[in-house]
Amino acid sequence: MVSDQSSVPNCFELLSAEPLIVVLIGPGGVGKGSIARALVEHDERLWLSRSWTTRPRRANENGSEYHFVDRATFERAIDEHRFLEWADFHGNLYGTPLPDADGKDVLLEIEVQGAGQVRAEHPDAVVILILAPSMDQLEQRLRSRGDSEEHVRLRLSSTPKELARGHELASFEVTNDDLERATKEILSILEELRQQRRNPSAKD
Ligand code: 5GP
C-alpha cells in the first residue's frame, strides 16, 4: 500500500527551500534597528547583516552599529562589487555587504532605494514596512538621537517620499506601537512564510 504523503514536506522540498531575504524599511526614528535586534534575539534562524556607512558615528553609538568607513574605502568596495545594494542617503553612503549567512535567513535594515535594488535582484525578498503610530512620535524619536536640528529637519522632510515608496515596495506593513508586539507580529509573518516555502502546495 502506498501512503499519501502529499502534505508532508519531503527532504528535497526542505533542501530546496531557499533562505528568506527579509528587508525592514521605514522612516528614520521608527525603530527599525530595535526591531531588527529583537528579531535576531528571538529567532536563531535569522542572520542580521551589518551595513557599511560613510556617516560619522553618533555620540551614543558604540561602533558595532555599522562598519564605519571613509568614502574612498566605500567607493573601492563598490568598484570591487562587494555590496548586495548601496545608496546615497542624505549625502552619506550606506551599503549591505554580500551576505555571509551560512544558510540562515538574511535580515536587512535599510532605506527604500536599497530595498528597491534588493527587490529588483531578488523578487522573492520580503519587504516589511515599519510605521510609527504617529508623526509626532516619529519626530520625538528622531530628536532623541542627538542629531543636529538641520539633520532632523532633513530626515522629516524626506519622510513622506520614503513612505510613499515604502508602501509600493512592502509586502507587509507593521506599526511599531510597542516593540514587543511589533516583533511578535513580524516573527509570526516569518513563520508563515517559512511554512509556505516548505510546503508551497498548501497555500491558504
Ligand atoms: P542612520 O544614519 O539613521 O543610521 O540610517 C539612515 C538610513 O540608512 C536608515 O533608514 C537606515 O535603515 C538606512 N541604512 C542603514 N544601512 C543601510 C544599508 O546598508 N543600505 C541602505 N540602502 N540603507 C541603509
Side-chain angles (χ1 to χ4, degrees):
M1 195 185 106
V2 180
S3 65
D4 177 15
Q5 296 195 338
S6 56
S7 62
V8 180
N10 66 38
C11 61
F12 295 109
E13 277 172 342
L14 286 173
L15 284 174
S16 67
E18 283 285 309
L20 296 171
I21 300 180
V22 183
V23 185
L24 296 185
I25 56 170
V30 79
K32 284 172 293 183
S34 307
I35 292 181
R37 285 190 295 277
L39 286 171
V40 288
E41 259 170 41
H42 287 88
D43 187 340
E44 60 184 17
R45 287 161 296 178
L46 278 177
W47 178 87
L48 178 60
S49 171
R50 182 166 175 247
S51 295
W52 287 34
T53 186
T54 61
R55 95 149 153 69
R57 187 157 69 82
R58 294 191 180 109
N60 64 356
E61 289 178 326
N62 64 22
S64 67
E65 296 79 4
Y66 287 101
H67 184 51
F68 292 94
V69 295
D70 60 27
R71 208 170 175 98
T73 306
F74 198 106
E75 285 172 349
R76 208 164 40 245
I78 295 173
D79 292 343
E80 291 166 358
H81 306 287
R82 289 168 63 186
F83 293 116
L84 178 66
E85 60 73 36
W86 66 272
D88 183 325
F89 184 74
H90 294 314
N92 292 309
L93 304 179
Y94 295 82
T96 304
L98 292 175
D100 184 13
D102 205 15
K104 286 190 173 187
D105 294 333
V106 173
L107 178 63
L108 311 181
E109 184 254 292
I110 62 179
E111 53 68 67
V112 287
Q113 303 168 68
Q117 292 171 39
V118 174
R119 204 4 116 53
E121 260 317 277
H122 302 276
D124 274 5
V126 182
V127 179
I128 303 179
L129 173 63
I130 311 296
L131 297 166
S134 72
M135 278 304 282
D136 280 354
Q137 274 214 21
L138 198 64
E139 188 167 343
Q140 267 175 30
R141 286 198 207 162
L142 263 180
R143 287 191 195 286
S144 69
R145 302 200 299 194
D147 287 336
S148 69
E149 181 61 23
E150 189 195 346
H151 187 82
V152 170
R153 281 179 194 276
L154 201 64
R155 295 291 299 261
L156 285 171
S157 68
S158 65
T159 297
K161 215 168 140 196
E162 283 173 48
L163 277 176
R165 182 69 180 127
H167 288 304
E168 283 171 7
L169 286 168
S171 324
F172 300 92
E173 301 193 0
V174 173
T175 300
N176 186 15
D177 44 5
D178 174 82
L179 176 61
E180 201 176 319
R181 195 211 60 75
T183 304
K184 274 193 185 149
E185 186 178 343
I186 298 174
L187 289 171
S188 60
I189 290 171
L190 298 184
E191 211 39 62
E192 178 79 13
L193 290 167
R194 288 177 181 131
Q195 294 255 10
Q196 281 177 14
R197 293 229 161 167
R198 281 197 294 267
N199 194 8
S201 56
K203 269 186 194 159
D204 304 324

